Amino acid sequence: MCYYLYGSVNDGINMSDYEKAIKNSKYHFNIGNKNAVNACVKNCGCEYRITSEMCDCDNPIGTKKVGKKALKDFEEVLLKLTSVRGIKYIYLSKNWVEETNEEEATVHINDIEVLPFLANIKENCLYRIDLYKKYY
């Protein structure tokens, strides 16, 4: 059995900004909502997989190991995505093959320590990470 990382980004983003933000990254988010991501997870589909790896078992997201370079790379992608015009959120989940999301959680990127958060995400939980500029 293998782990897979799934996710999406909201519709209405500036695609030029988005392409710049993910340039040279191994991560890619298709436009979609939580229903689309959850349907993809349920059907073991590929449309909302965020890597092109055979599987994501070696990815440190959700492994409780903060010091991994690949985790830092994902943090950098998230921080770059905050500058994309029209960005509101990404969805992210880590699932065993054939297991669906049983929970949902929402966080704002400014309210978390990104590396520990990513290292400690739970399996089978669809996270919405809000990326929009927060006005206090």
Side-chain angles (χ1 to χ4, degrees), residues 9-11 13 84 86-90 128-132:
V9 66
N10 64 278
D11 192 14
I13 63 171
V84 173
I87 195 80
K88 294 177 184 165
Y89 58 81
I90 67 157
R128 176 181 158 140
I129 304 173
D130 289 336
L131 301 176
Y132 58 85

Side-chain angles (χ1 to χ4, degrees), residues 113-124:
E113 289 184 57
V114 178
L115 287 175
F117 172 79
L118 294 172
N120 290 292
I121 69 165
K122 297 188 284 185
E123 301 163 13
N124 305 326

Side-chain angles (χ1 to χ4, degrees), residues 4 6 34-49 93 95-101 124:
Y4 296 102
Y6 294 93
K34 73 178 180 179
N35 294 333
V37 174
N38 280 330
C40 185
V41 170
K42 183 178 180 181
N43 297 321
C44 299
C46 294
E47 183 178 1
Y48 291 99
R49 293 257 334 267
S93 71
N95 303 81
W96 279 105
V97 66
E98 298 183 354
E99 290 189 9
T100 58
N101 287 316
N124 305 326

Side-chain angles (χ1 to χ4, degrees), residues 3 28 34 42 61 92 106:
Y3 280 115
H28 179 274
K34 73 178 180 179
K42 183 178 180 181
I61 292 174
L92 176 67
T106 300

Side-chain angles (χ1 to χ4, degrees), residues 60-69 71 115-116 118-120:
I61 292 174
T63 63
K64 303 191 184 334
K65 298 177 184 174
V66 176
K68 299 290 185 174
K69 182 185 178 327
L71 199 62
L115 287 175
L118 294 172
N120 290 292

